[in-house]
Amino acid sequence: MAQEQNDKCGDCQHFKPKTDEKFFNCVAAIHAGIKYGMQVRADSRSCEAFLPK
C-alpha cells in the first residue's frame, strides 16, 4: 500500500506530455473501475491505471 501512494503520474507509461507542456491530458485514468480522462502534472498521484515506466 505504501508503494502505491508513492507512485506518481510522471512515472506512468501513460504519461507522455509534449515538449514544454506543464499539464498532460490523460485518457487512461481509472478510479473504482470507471475509466475517465483527467488533466495531470508529473507530480500528481497516480490512479488505478498506473503502469511503471
Side-chain angles (χ1 to χ4, degrees), residues 6-8 28 30-31 38 44:
N6 292 330
D7 293 337
K8 303 290 184 206
I30 300 173
H31 181 72
M38 67 178 180
S44 298

Side-chain angles (χ1 to χ4, degrees), residues 8-10 12-16 24-41 44-51:
K8 303 290 184 206
C9 286
C12 180
Q13 291 178 11
H14 296 294
F15 187 80
K16 298 176 183 173
F24 172 69
N25 291 319
C26 182
V27 295
I30 300 173
H31 181 72
I34 299 172
K35 290 188 106 178
Y36 63 96
M38 67 178 180
Q39 192 175 60
V40 297
R41 299 183 321 196
S44 298
R45 286 188 58 199
S46 65
C47 67
E48 294 172 19
F50 180 80
L51 295 171

